[in-house]
Amino acid sequence: MDPATLVGILLAFGALYAMITLEHASVEALLLPAPMILVFGATLAIGIAGGTLKDFLVAVKAVPPAMKGKTVPPQDTIDSVVVLAEKARSEGLLALEEEANTVKDPFLRGALQNIADGTDGEELREILEDEIDSASQTHRTAAKFFASLGGYAPTVGIIGTVVSLTHVLENLSSPDKLGPMIAAAFVATLWGLLSANFLWLPIGTRIKRLGEMETARMTLLMEGVLAVQAGSQPRLLGERLKAMVPQHAQGKGKAGKDGKDGGKGAKGSKGSGEAITAQGKAAA
């Protein structure tokens, strides 16, 4: 789990609380129900109105995974592909059908099944690229929804402030009440800016980033299984896949912590099945 988003949001609100405390202000003065209902309710409503209900549901479903931030280390993916390459070289491509039955990752499972069924390499590449594009589009839809909320929220906050100031002007005959009323009027603008920059935009950016990482993982798998189908030498395949991973993202996966080649296949199908199943669980 990568808690970056949760930690970042908590630190942001913590900094806000620190400022309120140092300014000797009152937190309760900011927790006014009326402006909060307007900002959060109207922002969500406008976001839904700007797309479809399916877009909204896709965005909602993307939030829990974004908060958890579970990702598969590139080295684990490479190790799994190398194991598959060794199994294919020693037992033939038909042996990959047995591996497909133990894999939980639907993308890898489908690729292995197609290889075992004798699908042509170019046709398989087209199928896998279409699946990657489809998954990428889902992430983009969710990220775009939250980015749109980040754009709407400040404007909705200003609308709330204008409405409150209109009420203030109706009570000019009570000067003693003007101060608190004007202060309360700007709470709507505050929550519009806070929700946009502390919630909606970070969540949208997080979903976009995780989508990019998932696309990169699927692309790595695609190139790997296509090379396995073509009969690539396992060690060279591992080096080629590693070269596809940016330097900052390279690291030791679970199978490579001891410095050994994670694709070592001396243990047979049991070892490969455990490696691939572990990757499928992390990707789910």
Side-chain angles (χ1 to χ4, degrees):
M1 178 176 177
D2 183 350
T5 298
L6 288 176
V7 171
I9 290 175
L10 289 176
L11 287 176
F13 278 101
L16 174 65
Y17 179 78
M19 176 188 174
I20 293 173
T21 302
L22 293 173
E23 291 288 339
H24 302 290
S26 172
V27 176
E28 290 76 12
L30 305 181
L31 300 177
L32 301 180
M36 293 177 68
I37 290 174
L38 173 67
V39 170
F40 285 98
T43 298
L44 284 172
I46 296 171
I48 295 172
T52 66
L53 286 177
K54 288 186 177 180
D55 293 341
F56 171 67
L57 294 177
V58 167
V60 171
K61 291 179 181 178
V63 173
M67 294 297 103
K68 295 177 182 178
K70 289 184 178 180
T71 57
V72 180
Q75 188 60 49
D76 282 0
T77 300
I78 294 172
D79 292 342
S80 298
V81 173
V82 171
V83 169
L84 292 172
E86 292 186 342
K87 187 176 183 64
R89 282 175 68 89
S90 62
E91 302 179 29
L93 292 177
L94 290 178
L96 297 180
E97 185 172 9
E98 177 184 344
E99 295 293 341
N101 295 329
T102 65
V103 172
K104 292 188 176 181
D105 180 4
F107 180 77
L108 180 57
R109 182 172 62 245
L112 295 179
Q113 188 62 56
N114 275 294
I115 291 177
D117 292 341
T119 304
D120 178 73
E122 288 301 319
E123 185 177 354
L124 179 57
R125 177 179 288 277
E126 291 180 2
I127 293 173
L128 297 180
E129 285 179 345
D130 287 343
E131 289 188 30
I132 293 174
D133 288 341
S134 178
S136 178
Q137 181 60 43
T138 299
H139 286 98
R140 287 198 299 269
T141 298
K144 182 179 179 181
F145 178 82
F146 286 104
S148 68
L149 296 187
Y152 295 138
T155 305
V156 173
I158 292 174
I159 293 174
T161 296
V162 172
V163 172
S164 296
L165 288 177
T166 302
H167 179 59
V168 170
L169 295 176
E170 293 177 347
N171 292 271
L172 293 178
S173 58
S174 304
D176 56 320
K177 298 181 180 179
L178 292 182
M181 292 178 67
I182 293 175
F186 284 99
V187 171
T189 297
L190 173 64
W191 277 108
L193 294 171
L194 273 180
S195 62
N197 294 283
F198 283 23
L199 294 175
W200 309 133
L201 292 178
I203 292 175
T205 303
R206 169 79 158 191
I207 293 173
K208 180 181 179 181
R209 176 58 181 148
L210 292 179
E212 292 171 349
M213 296 174 69
E214 177 65 7
T215 298
R217 183 191 74 86
M218 295 173 74
T219 301
L220 201 64
L221 278 176
M222 178 185 70
E223 296 297 337
V225 296
L226 289 173
V228 169
Q229 184 185 39
S232 295
Q233 201 275 339
R235 186 182 64 82
L236 293 179
L237 174 57
E239 293 298 324
R240 175 194 168 194
L241 294 179
K242 188 174 181 179
M244 294 175 58
V245 180
Q247 189 67 34
H248 72 275
Q250 292 183 9
K252 294 180 180 180
K254 293 180 180 178
K257 288 183 178 179
D258 57 357
K260 298 179 182 179
D261 185 352
K264 211 164 188 177
K267 293 184 180 180
S269 62
K270 181 179 179 181
S272 63
E274 290 177 350
I276 299 169
T277 301
Q279 179 191 352
K281 289 181 178 179

